[in-house]
Every structure is written in structure tokens, then in C-alpha cells.
Amino acid sequence: MERTLVLVKPDGVQKAVIGAVISRFEDAGYKVIALKMLRATREQISNHYAADKEWLASVGKKTRSSFESKGVKMDETDLQIGERIRGWLINYLTEGPIVAMVVEGDGVIAGIRKIAGATSPDMADPASIRGMYSKDSYEKADKARRPVRNILHASDGETAKREIKVWFTEQELHEYQRIPRTD
Ligand code: ADP
């Protein structure tokens, strides 16, 4: 069965939407199989957002196309943008407690990224978690030289297995059967 890692970031915890986030996943039919609140170390965040060149460039590329769609040209390379943002992310994710969870279900990786919404909340579907609980944007974040505060992280297909191992041991992943709510 497919699994994904979700982190409710410090702003999500501070906005008291932990329950709302979990409910969205459970209402969509997915199963939470591991859950904890913790204060992450810089090392854990550094492992989570690994300095992988492909990922760094993809963060830069998404940022560039969002800025270009608003008529703003960026001088840095995609990799430079990604490296700058990774540095900011280490501060953001260690500023307060976070909630880590593993969610399981058919097609859960793509399903949860859909429920989470686009990276920049101003572009996210208003019914998505990021669209509902944040008005932040790449522009506001870049001006203040900080990461986009977008409530949660959800793995993509390439990273789920590796990220689950950063936060949970095999013993912390639980097995149980979901039963219909009306039974
Ligand atoms: P996602 O979290 O949607 O998978 P990315 O992997 O592209 O998005 O980026 C990781 C995180 O880095 C984002 O969730 C966001 O907090 C932050 N981030 C990405 N791009 C920018 C940017 N241009 N400016 C500020 N923060 C950014």
C-alpha cells in the first residue's frame, strides 16, 4: 500500500489547524498510520530537505515560472534559487513544534498533494489546505527573505520512502483496518 509523509509546519501548528489537516486526509479515505509532535533539529530538516541538485533546481524552476508569469525576471540560476530557499527552510521548520505523520492509501501521494494545494498559497485552489489557511506568496516571502509559510509539507512520488525514514522507525508505523464510519 502506498505511503506518504506529511509535516504540519510551525505556522500550521500555530494556526491550530492540525485537526483540520488530519480530518481532510481521513475524510478522503486515507489512513493515518504514524503521528507525533516534535521540535525538529536543524540536522533533521537538513536530512529531510536533502541537498539534492535535481530537487533544488526544481524548486528554483517553479519559483522562476511563477515570477515570470507575473512579469518578473530572476537573475539567479534555478540551482541558486533552490539553495537559497533550502537555507531559509532550515530556520522555518525549526522555529517551533511541528507534527509529523505517515498517511497510507491507494494513490495517497498524489491525493494528498492535491488536498494540500499549490506551493504558493496565493495560487492554491481555495478549497485546498494551503488555499484555505494561508494568503502567503512567493513574492511576499522573497521580499522578506524567508520561505513561503504554507501550512504543510507532503512528499512527492520520488521522496516519500526516503522522507518517512527521516522521521519514523519501522516500529512507529502501525497496522490497522479502516472500517466504515456508519458501521
Ligand atoms: P512543495 O512543498 O509544494 O513540495 P517545493 O518542494 O518546491 O514545494 O518547496 C519546498 C518548500 O520551500 C515550500 O513548501 C515552501 O515553503 C518553500 N519555497 C519554495 N519556493 C519558494 C520561494 N520561491 N520562496 C520562498 N519559499 C519557497
Side-chain angles (χ1 to χ4, degrees):
M1 189 57 88
E2 196 172 293
R3 292 172 174 176
T4 192
L5 177 92
V6 173
L7 300 177
V8 181
K9 295 177 175 178
D11 53 320
V13 173
Q14 289 155 20
K15 286 181 174 178
V17 296
I18 304 166
V21 168
I22 295 174
S23 285
R24 289 292 295 269
F25 303 156
E26 291 184 325
D27 290 349
Y30 301 126
K31 205 162 72 173
V32 175
I33 61 158
L35 182 69
K36 61 182 159 194
M37 179 180 269
L38 71 149
R39 191 76 193 245
T41 63
R42 297 179 72 81
E43 196 190 352
Q44 275 171 312
I45 302 302
S46 190
N47 288 337
H48 172 82
Y49 288 116
D52 168 62
K53 285 212 163 65
E54 217 172 288
W55 175 71
L56 291 170
S58 82
V59 172
K61 194 169 170 214
K62 262 203 288 184
T63 300
R64 178 188 309 287
S65 68
S66 166
F67 274 85
E68 277 173 4
S69 74
K70 291 175 182 165
V72 181
K73 199 178 161 292
M74 297 190 87
D75 294 327
E76 299 160 279
T77 64
D78 289 346
L79 195 58
Q80 283 168 337
I81 298 170
E83 278 166 351
R84 163 167 64 80
I85 289 163
R86 181 171 179 270
W88 294 347
L89 283 169
I90 295 174
N91 293 333
Y92 170 29
L93 274 289
T94 54
E95 80 174 38
I98 60 170
V99 171
M101 70 189 95
V102 177
V103 190
E104 187 179 85
D106 223 5
V108 71
I109 297 175
I112 286 201
R113 282 186 69 86
K114 220 177 197 177
I115 296 170
T119 305
S120 189
D122 67 329
M123 314 267 255
D125 186 314
S128 66
I129 292 170
R130 286 166 168 171
M132 274 175 83
Y133 298 118
S134 174
K135 293 186 182 65
D136 207 8
S137 66
Y138 286 140
E139 289 77 8
K140 281 189 207 162
D142 264 34
K143 212 172 272 170
R145 306 201 58 75
R146 58 158 178 83
V148 172
R149 298 173 71 83
N150 55 5
I151 313 288
L152 79 168
H153 163 82
S155 306
D156 65 29
E158 313 274 291
T159 54
K161 281 205 175 80
R162 185 186 66 74
E163 289 178 0
I164 289 170
K165 288 204 188 102
V166 173
W167 300 100
F168 292 96
T169 63
E170 201 56 46
Q171 289 70 40
E172 288 174 310
L173 308 177
H174 296 279
E175 250 181 70
Y176 65 96
Q177 207 178 351
R178 246 198 96 137
I179 54 176
R181 287 177 173 170
T182 48
D183 279 8

